[in-house]
Structure formats: structure tokens, C-alpha cells
Amino acid sequence: MPAIHLFRRRTLLGGDDLQLPCIATLSMRALQLSCFLLPIWLQIAHEASAHGGLWNYLWNRRDGINCEQSHIMPLVLFIYAASTTFITVLLIFLEIRLYRASGLGIPVETMPRSAKVESLLELKLIPIGIIQCVIFILGIVTMGFAFSHYACESEDNSIYMQQDDLQDDDFRRYVTVSTDDTTIPGTSLVWWVAFGFLWLTQLVEVFLIVVFWCRLFGKPPTSSLAESSLQHELVEEMWAERCTTFCNCLGMSTCFLFGGKNMALGDYGAVARALTDYFENGNLLDLVPSDIVMGLMVLRSVQRKRILESRNEVLREKRVTYSNSSQEDQVRNLNSNSSHSANSFGPLLGNISSNSIENAPLSGTQTSFFLMHEEGEDTFYELTSRKVLNMNKPFDRFTLQEGTRFARYQLAIYTWLIYLYMHPVSGFARLLLKSSCGCCDNGQSNNIDDDEAFLSSGIPSGLVIGDNWCKVHKAALMLQAGIHDDNTELVYAQLLSSFSDIPYCIIIDHTWKSVVLAIRGTFSLEDCVTDVLIEPETLQQMGDEFGFDGEGQFSHGGIISCARVVYRDLQRHCILDKLLYGETAKYPNYTLRVVGHSLGAGTATLVSYMLRQRFPSVRCLNYSPPGCSFTWRIATECKDWCNSFVLDSDLVPRLSIDSLEHLRDEVLGIIGRVKVSKADVARKTLPSPKYLCRRNIKHDDIDSVSDLVDSLICQAEDVSQSNYSLTFENFKNVQEERRSKRGHMRSVKLYPPGRIVHFTKTGEKHSCMRNAAQCLTCWTTNLGHEYTPIWVKNDDFNEIVISTTMGTDHFPNRLTKTMENLSEQYGIDVTKYVCLDADSPPV
């Protein structure tokens, strides 16, 4: 920061962003000089020597049928090589000066850096850029005259070949190839390759220069933009158009594999208003993308320090107890054997390894972490305790068993794409084999046009709506759900995905005596549009209609929309009634379980509320539910029949307007406290290759992490007043004004639903293979991670965790695999149904 202004036009680069590009450009210049220009100069020297000196080589005409313009090429080649060498050396010196100027100061201290960088870039962009374009054109001309020149050289060679000095090395460099009556000259292969690559690098440079010119001078000057003072409503329209264009381009670029054919029908008003408010700063803050990235990197270290401090606080207070051994011995054992790596905010005692938990009774085990609280404009963190699931308690054990058993069904509704992602080698062959078997089954249709015939057909068996002709969706669904014997049965699947169709399926699990309604989460572009319907909508009308108290309660607008679509389709075919309701029900003693992932989890909760009046025993299982689902009473009243499961630093359960605004403000505040350059921040916070095959002990040491944070940022009270701090305060005032203009709906707080189990990373198994996998996946894999299930409250996910796995922890397959591994570790058999006796749930 601030942004570089070239010719009174703002760019997206900061003055301190140029060090890495300068290093890359210097490497390319060195390559041009040593590998490309050097062979060209050697070629000129050889030819000049062969023709009696440089003057004769450049100016003498040759006689012959092919020599009319052959003397032009040596002169053009010499000028091209000399000008390229000169401009390359000049650019090397310019890049060195840019590198030094870009490294001056720190992000908020811009005076020693900005003016120098802008003047050097303007010099490079216009005068030198024009010269580079001329040299590139000269290279094209040189290439055009090369043929006539070497055709002439070919004639001269044929004369010298008849003379006694045939062994002269200067003439062995030429080769003549005859094709019919035309003689095509050739010369050293090295020379042609060097010339070709040099010309290609210049082509890329000229292309980038022209594109930058077009982008830069296509903007109005900064002063004109500031004077225009675009109205807030116009900015909202701009964001709505950007969202529409982005979704349309994404749909076409993926050949509509993830939907997107009817994106024009989507409502982008809510997300446009949210984005406008989120980025509204009254032209106060002059930040660039790299500033935000730097702030996130520092914030990740700050959050890690907070987690490790909470772990030490727990150890000091001796809150970890095991019933069968002394407290001090257990704490000492955990300190010596665990390999904690806590990358999430909710979590907990980092020293508890999975092996320690597995081998010891967990009665009374607690964990602690710092929970964020806000009072007005002040934010503080308070040490809070939560309980680990106790596998000696039937309720806790049943919760994990039930969640693991039905996790496969929420995964199955994603059908073939997620199946191929999980089985990249054997998945395609399995799908072909399974789908070919399905195609031979004439008793199962692929589509239904006659609703009356469908409603009167009784209970269908394996009916799939919206599948393709080879039934690959159904094949993947059955493989994922494990439907291969008489214990599990697919009844119905609706796989059409649009604004008016939500994919879901109905499966009968005879082992657990359950009818499972599995609702798919976000997967298509239409689902993404539904996700951004973030403005809360009242539940009062729906509560009156379906028999629950919705007065004064609100929900995510997209969840309400999806729930009504699913319920309307359920009412259309009445399959649940035929299976469970009334005297004619096929399975009257079975339990209805509604499961879903992501957006499907929030939808599953609301659909369960809608169905409870007719099916009082309904249970709901949510996997990675959205954080902005329901207001507090609706989110917590369902705890007796609704469980939610969240994996470590998953972003979605923490996602809300409030958490996003807190993240924005915290990042902006940290930017003003950074006391080193961006290059130093990257060097100190990014993983080092030297830890590829050995553990980074400093990563888990509170003193090392504290020293790292102290070396990156100043204490909040030590920050001196600067132009940035003043503009940041004004920015917060602008945001508060925008928030107040949105009315009371803007202050409605939403939470994830049900009783929540958080699978917290509490250890890592270090190995070369695991570290190599981390490098290959940019540290997004969870290979070797150890997790501990924790009971948490609905308002614990009020801060977004900066982690490399914050996105991949949301994947349904990753959560399912983690739950299966934990169940196996604790000796829980999910293939057998265990009836839960009366047991008081955790508070």
C-alpha cells in the first residue's frame, strides 16, 4: 500500500509488491543475455570473420540470383542484436533500482517508496516500452531477410567447396538443402534456436506491455473517478452485474457441468447489497490485494498464538483429568508424546492425541479455548471450557455412531462427481460396471412425465428423476451409500438441479430401521446463487403453517426457499406417507431421519421442523451446516432431535455477515500494526522446504510463535498515529453508518442448528510421505491429522479461522472419512443398531 498510480490512474499493485516480479524479470534478462544473445553475437563474429571483417560483412553486395538483397540482413541483424543487448542491460539496471525502491519502508510508511517506484515504472512503461516494441518489429524484419541472405551464402559456399581450402572451419557451419529447383539455406541450429527463443520472449513482453497500456489508459484519471462520487445504488447494480457475468462465464467455461444455464433468473440483489456494504469505504482506504493477503498471513499466526496460549492455560489450571491415572502423570505424558498442531480456532487442548484418548477413559475430560466476545466496538477473548465426547457414556457413543452411520447418505446424494474425486483410479471402471448393470434393469425408469401415473403407482423402487441415459448418477449414489444388499434400499431420487428443483433421495436403512431423506448441499451454480440469499426472512408464517413457534424468529433466505421446494416435492408424491404414516404404512415402526450437508444441512433442519407435526419421531443429522442458518431459539430448540457435525477449521459453519465483518476489521487493524515488509512477512510465515522430512518443532512452541508474532506486528497500544490509522477509524464510521441504514434486519444474528460436535485437530503424525503430500496439495490435505470430538455451543463458531484447510475441511468426503476413522478408533460398530436408553444429554 498504497496503490501505485501511473499517469494519474490507479493500479492494483502496491509499491512494495514488486520485489518478486523484479527477481523473476532479472532472471529472464540474465537468460536472454547468456543463452540467447550470446549465440547471436558468436554467429555475427563467425560470419564477419569469414567475409574479411565486419565492414565487408555488413555492406558488401554479393552477386548471384539470390543475392539481390542479401546484404540487408547482416546490417539488420547487427542493429537488432546491438539494440537488444543495450535495452536488456538497461532494463537490468532498472529492475535492480525497482527492487531496492520496492523494499523501502513498511506497508503503512509509503513516503520513501511510492514516488520512486511510480517514476521508475512510468519510465519503463512508456519510453522503454515503445523501444521494446520497435526492437520486436526489427526482429520480425530480421527473420524475413534471413532467407535471402542464407540463400546467397549458399551460393558462395558452393564456390568455396571447389577450392583447396575446403577444410576451413568457418564454412563448415553452413549446410545447403536442395528441394527441386529451390535452394533453402541453413545455418547453425544453435543460432536459430537462440534467435527463436529470444524473439518469443520479446513477443510475450510486447503482448503484456500492450495489454497493460489498454487496461491502464482505458480507465479515467483518478481525479475524475473521485469527482464522480458514484451513488450507492449504482455500486449495487455494478456488483449485481459482476455476479451475473461471473456465474455465466463460469457456467460456460465448465460446459455447464455444474449447472448455470439459467443464471439470469437468479436474484443477486442480496449479495450485491452485502458486497457494497462490505467494501464501502468512502474512498478512504487505499489498499491493494497483496495487503489483504499479508494481513491474513499475520492473522493466522496471531490466531495460532491464541490457541497455544489457551493450551498452556489449561495445563496450568490442570483441567485435563483421567479417571484411571493421576492428573500430573497424564499431563506429563501428553506433553511428551503428543504432536499438537492446532490450526483451528475452536479447539482445544492441543496436547490430547488420539492415542491417549483411545487408551484412557474420558470421563470428565475438558478442553479450553479463547472464545471471542464483542461489547460495542470492543472485542475481547475469554477462556472457555468445553467437554470432550465421553465414549463411556451411551449418549456420546450413540451420537458418534449415529452420525457416522448416516454420513454416507449425505455423501451419496452428490453422485458421480464426488465419487470420481474420491476414487480417481478405480472410480470410472466401477461406475461403468454398476451403470451397465443398471441399464439392463427395465423395471426402473429414468424420467416421469405423467404425475397421476406416478402418484398411483404406489411405493416406487429405485426410481431416479433427472439421471442421464446410462444412469451413472444412480450407480454412484448406490455405490456411495453402500446399497448392495437387502439391508439398504433406494426408493426414490430427484436429481434435477435448478432454482425450482433441489436434489434429494429417499433410502431405507433396514439395519437401523430408518427411512432416510438425504438433501444435497451446494454443488451447482444455482446452489451458489441460493447461498447468497443471505438476508434473513421471518419464520412466523411457516411456523403457523407447520405447527412450530416461529414468532420473532428468522432464517437464511436460501434455506427457506430450498425447504419449500423439497417439501412441495415430498407432498407431490407422498412417498414418506406411504412408508411411515397411517395404518397402511409399509414401515410404521421405522424412524424418519433427515440428513444433509452444507446448504442441505440447513434445509434438512427446516424440513424436519415442517415434518415434525406429521412425523413426531423425526431425527435430523447435519454435516457442516451453515453458520448463518437460524436465530438462537430455532437453532437450539431442536437439540433433542438434531445433531450437527463440524470438522476442525471448516469455513461454512463460521460464515456469517458478522464474522466476515469481524475478519475484515481485524485484518485491516493488523495491517496498520505490521512493522516489517511484505517480503519479510512471507519469509517468516510461509512453510519452509527444510521441514519436508522433519517436524517443525517451532510450529508447536508457544515461545517461538509469540516471538514470531512480536517480530511481525506492534502491540495495539504501541501503534503510533498515522494517516492509515486515521483513515481506518473513518472507515469504521462509514461502515457503522451503512449498517444503521439497513435497519433492524441487519442486526439479526444467525447460528448453526442443533447439538454440535466439533472434530478438532489435536495432533499430527509426521512422516516424509505426509510432508510430501502437504507440499503437493499446498498444505490442504488432512493426511496424518488426529481429531478429537468436542461438544460445543451454537455461538462458538463466531470467528473465521485462517487455515490452509478452511475450505477443504468442508468437503463431505473428508468429514465422513474422519467420522469413520474415529468410530473405528473407539471400537464403535456402525453396522449394528444400538437402541439408546434414557440418558441425560450433555449440557
Side-chain angles (χ1 to χ4, degrees):
M1 67 175 296
I4 297 174
H5 289 71
L6 299 177
F7 307 103
R8 295 172 53 204
R9 290 165 173 83
R10 188 178 187 275
T11 68
L12 293 179
L13 294 175
D16 49 0
D17 292 344
L18 302 179
Q19 287 187 306
L20 185 60
C22 284
I23 293 175
T25 308
L26 283 171
S27 302
M28 186 190 70
R29 304 293 177 207
L31 184 67
Q32 287 178 330
L33 281 177
S34 60
C35 298
F36 303 153
L37 280 169
L38 182 60
I40 293 177
W41 281 114
L42 291 176
Q43 175 72 12
I44 293 174
H46 277 290
E47 293 193 15
S49 175
H51 290 86
L54 181 62
W55 183 264
N56 292 332
Y57 171 64
L58 295 178
W59 298 104
N60 282 352
R61 287 178 175 270
R62 287 121 173 124
D63 297 327
I65 190 172
N66 294 312
C67 297
E68 184 177 351
Q69 294 181 335
S70 65
H71 65 289
I72 299 178
M73 188 271 179
L75 181 61
V76 174
L77 177 62
F78 181 82
I79 297 174
Y80 172 72
S83 58
T84 302
T85 303
F86 171 77
I87 203 67
T88 302
V89 174
L90 178 63
L91 284 170
I92 287 177
F93 284 105
L94 184 62
E95 299 293 347
I96 293 175
R97 291 198 61 187
L98 269 174
Y99 178 85
R100 291 176 177 175
S102 181
L104 295 175
I106 60 176
V108 294
E109 294 179 1
T110 62
M111 292 306 295
R113 168 179 76 239
S114 298
K116 291 182 180 180
V117 169
E118 289 177 0
S119 60
L120 290 173
L121 282 178
E122 289 180 353
L123 174 65
K124 180 181 177 181
L125 185 63
I126 296 299
I128 297 181
I130 293 175
I131 295 174
Q132 286 181 279
C133 293
V134 173
I135 292 175
F136 171 72
I137 296 173
L138 189 61
I140 298 177
V141 174
T142 303
M143 191 179 301
F145 283 106
F147 284 93
S148 62
H149 171 76
Y150 286 113
C152 178
E153 292 290 341
S154 159
E155 286 190 12
D156 291 343
N157 289 346
S158 62
I159 296 174
Y160 282 108
M161 290 284 288
Q162 301 173 7
Q163 298 179 1
D164 294 335
D165 55 350
L166 182 63
Q167 304 301 321
D168 191 345
D169 291 337
D170 290 329
F171 298 100
R172 291 183 180 181
R173 297 173 46 80
Y174 300 97
V175 180
T176 302
V177 181
S178 298
T179 304
D180 298 331
D181 296 331
T182 304
T183 302
I184 301 177
T187 186
S188 172
L189 179 62
V190 176
W191 184 91
W192 280 110
V193 171
F195 182 86
F197 275 105
L198 177 62
W199 185 82
L200 286 176
T201 58
Q202 292 175 336
L203 172 64
V204 173
E205 286 188 84
V206 169
F207 174 78
L208 294 177
I209 290 172
V210 173
V211 169
F212 197 83
W213 285 348
C214 296
R215 294 290 301 272
L216 183 64
F217 295 106
K219 299 178 181 179
T222 305
S223 58
S224 300
L225 183 62
E227 292 171 0
S228 63
S229 299
L230 296 176
Q231 297 179 1
H232 205 77
E233 292 75 12
L234 296 179
V235 179
E236 289 183 13
E237 293 180 6
M238 177 191 70
W239 277 112
E241 292 176 358
R242 287 178 177 178
C243 293
T244 306
T245 303
F246 174 77
C247 291
N248 286 329
C249 294
L250 192 60
M252 290 185 289
S253 63
T254 58
C255 299
F256 303 106
L257 185 64
F258 299 95
K261 294 183 178 179
N262 299 309
M263 299 309 296
L265 302 177
D267 182 9
Y268 302 95
V271 68
R273 286 187 291 273
L275 290 172
T276 303
D277 291 344
Y278 193 77
F279 295 107
E280 175 64 47
N281 63 11
N283 292 326
L284 296 173
L285 294 176
D286 191 7
L287 298 174
V288 294
S290 63
D291 295 324
I292 307 301
V293 174
M294 178 198 65
L296 292 173
M297 294 168 69
V298 177
L299 178 59
R300 183 169 180 261
S301 299
V302 173
Q303 289 179 340
R304 179 158 189 78
K305 176 185 175 183
R306 196 179 299 146
I307 293 168
L308 295 179
E309 286 176 346
S310 67
R311 181 190 67 179
N312 283 6
E313 184 68 23
V314 172
L315 293 177
R316 282 193 296 268
E317 296 180 5
K318 297 182 179 179
R319 294 190 176 186
V320 179
T321 59
Y322 287 92
S323 61
N324 291 348
S325 59
S326 68
Q327 189 178 42
E328 293 183 0
D329 290 340
Q330 286 297 326
V331 172
R332 189 181 304 112
N333 181 61
L334 289 175
N335 276 330
S336 60
N337 295 330
S338 68
S339 55
H340 170 65
S341 178
N343 283 335
S344 67
F345 171 77
L348 313 168
L349 179 63
N351 310 65
I352 304 178
S353 67
S354 300
N355 293 331
S356 301
I357 291 175
E358 181 181 12
N359 297 329
L362 295 182
S363 58
T365 303
Q366 290 187 341
T367 66
S368 296
F369 63 97
F370 283 104
L371 182 63
M372 184 189 74
H373 296 280
E374 291 183 306
E375 291 185 0
E377 296 183 358
D378 297 329
T379 300
F380 64 95
Y381 292 86
E382 181 182 15
L383 191 66
T384 307
S385 296
R386 295 291 181 263
K387 290 184 177 181
V388 177
L389 267 70
N390 187 341
M391 295 306 143
N392 293 328
K393 289 186 176 182
F395 184 88
D396 292 6
R397 192 176 184 88
F398 177 80
T399 299
L400 182 58
Q401 182 185 29
E402 181 187 35
T404 305
R405 173 70 183 190
F406 294 95
R408 279 284 165 183
Y409 300 128
Q410 60 88 19
L411 181 62
I413 191 59
Y414 284 95
T415 66
W416 68 276
L417 280 176
I418 196 70
Y419 186 79
L420 289 181
Y421 172 77
M422 294 176 61
H423 305 89
V425 178
S426 61
F428 187 72
R430 293 180 184 179
L431 284 179
L432 284 180
L433 181 62
K434 188 72 175 179
S435 61
S436 62
C437 295
C439 290
C440 299
D441 188 358
N442 296 325
Q444 299 173 350
S445 61
N446 190 49
N447 204 345
I448 289 183
D449 297 323
D450 193 344
D451 289 346
E452 295 297 330
F454 174 53
L455 293 174
S456 62
S457 62
I459 300 175
S461 178
L463 180 64
V464 179
I465 306 297
D467 204 349
N468 48 38
W469 65 272
C470 61
K471 300 186 179 180
V472 69
H473 288 285
K474 179 180 178 181
L477 191 154
M478 298 181 71
L479 286 171
Q480 286 281 36
I483 302 176
H484 50 73
D485 52 30
D486 296 335
N487 293 325
T488 312
E489 176 185 352
L490 174 64
V491 177
Y492 172 74
Q494 197 292 112
L495 301 179
L496 297 174
S497 180
S498 66
F499 292 117
S500 58
D501 295 291
I502 305 299
Y504 72 94
C505 67
I506 298 175
I507 297 173
I508 300 177
D509 188 334
H510 294 290
T511 302
W512 277 65
K513 296 183 179 180
S514 300
V515 174
V516 183
L517 172 61
I519 304 174
R520 198 190 74 183
T522 301
F523 197 68
S524 67
L525 290 174
E526 287 82 3
D527 297 332
C528 294
V529 176
T530 304
D531 285 336
V532 299
L533 299 176
I534 55 179
E535 293 184 351
E537 295 184 12
T538 180
L539 289 172
Q540 183 167 353
Q541 180 181 357
M542 184 175 286
D544 295 338
E545 182 179 354
F546 296 102
F548 64 90
D549 185 9
E551 184 177 359
Q553 299 301 299
F554 297 88
S555 176
H556 183 283
I559 290 177
I560 294 178
S561 175
C562 292
R564 288 196 176 277
V565 170
V566 172
Y567 185 82
R568 183 169 57 248
D569 197 63
L570 290 172
Q571 289 296 101
R572 182 178 67 86
H573 53 61
C574 300
I575 291 179
L576 294 182
D577 289 345
K578 297 172 185 177
L579 291 173
L580 298 170
Y581 187 75
E583 298 179 355
T584 60
K586 189 173 182 179
Y587 304 106
N589 297 324
Y590 278 32
T591 301
L592 174 62
R593 282 181 164 88
V594 186
V595 304
H597 172 264
S598 188
L599 176 65
T603 304
T605 305
L606 192 53
V607 169
S608 299
Y609 267 109
M610 300 165 74
L611 293 174
R612 279 188 65 78
Q613 192 173 19
R614 196 168 186 83
F615 305 102
S617 63
V618 63
R619 291 189 58 79
C620 180
L621 298 169
N622 295 325
Y623 302 87
S624 304
C628 52
S629 295
F630 305 98
T631 42
W632 182 259
R633 181 161 59 80
I634 290 293
T636 56
E637 279 184 350
C638 59
K639 284 187 174 182
D640 291 338
W641 47 269
C642 178
N643 291 329
S644 295
F645 304 92
V646 177
L647 180 61
D648 199 46
S649 55
D650 187 352
L651 170 67
V652 174
R654 296 174 168 85
L655 206 56
S656 66
I657 294 180
D658 289 333
S659 63
L660 285 171
E661 289 184 346
H662 172 76
L663 175 66
R664 176 199 62 199
D665 294 343
E666 191 169 15
V667 169
L668 294 178
I670 283 179
I671 291 174
R673 296 165 54 192
V674 172
K675 59 183 181 181
V676 297
S677 66
K678 291 179 183 175
D680 288 335
V681 171
R683 180 176 55 83
K684 293 181 178 182
T685 58
L686 291 178
S688 174
K690 67 181 180 180
Y691 295 113
L692 181 61
C693 284
R694 60 190 180 97
R695 180 185 172 190
N696 184 3
I697 301 177
K698 294 182 179 180
H699 186 69
D700 302 326
D701 181 58
I702 179 62
D703 294 330
S704 299
V705 176
S706 297
D707 292 341
L708 171 63
V709 173
D710 292 339
S711 68
L712 295 177
I713 59 176
C714 304
Q715 296 296 326
E717 57 273 12
D718 297 335
V719 177
S720 59
Q721 192 175 41
S722 64
N723 182 58
Y724 178 82
S725 61
L726 295 176
T727 56
F728 181 47
E729 291 298 324
N730 293 333
F731 167 78
K732 290 193 288 187
N733 294 333
V734 170
Q735 285 293 319
E736 187 62 33
E737 179 183 355
R738 293 305 311 168
R739 189 180 296 108
S740 61
K741 288 183 178 180
R742 292 301 183 190
H744 76 282
M745 293 298 293
R746 181 62 188 80
S747 60
V748 173
K749 294 184 179 297
L750 303 178
Y751 305 91
R755 182 178 285 109
I756 303 176
V757 177
H758 184 210
F759 299 102
T760 302
K761 186 175 74 173
T762 51
E764 294 181 8
K765 295 179 180 179
H766 294 273
S767 65
C768 287
M769 181 178 296
R770 181 254 176 195
N771 293 342
Q774 292 273 31
C775 293
L776 292 175
T777 60
C778 297
W779 280 264
T780 59
T781 180
N782 65 343
L783 181 65
H785 290 185
E786 298 174 343
Y787 297 93
T788 301
I790 312 293
W791 289 114
V792 296
K793 295 185 178 180
N794 301 71
D795 57 350
D796 285 351
F797 299 104
N798 59 354
E799 184 182 26
I800 293 176
V801 180
I802 306 303
S803 170
T804 55
T805 61
M806 61 191 297
T808 54
D809 279 345
H810 188 65
F811 287 5
N813 59 303
R814 182 166 292 190
L815 176 57
T816 301
K817 186 64 175 177
T818 299
M819 297 179 69
E820 290 175 347
N821 291 341
L822 281 173
S823 295
E824 182 180 356
Q825 174 184 324
Y826 292 130
I828 298 176
D829 187 2
V830 299
T831 62
K832 297 180 180 179
Y833 173 69
V834 177
C835 182
L836 180 65
D837 297 329
D839 184 73
S840 59
V843 179

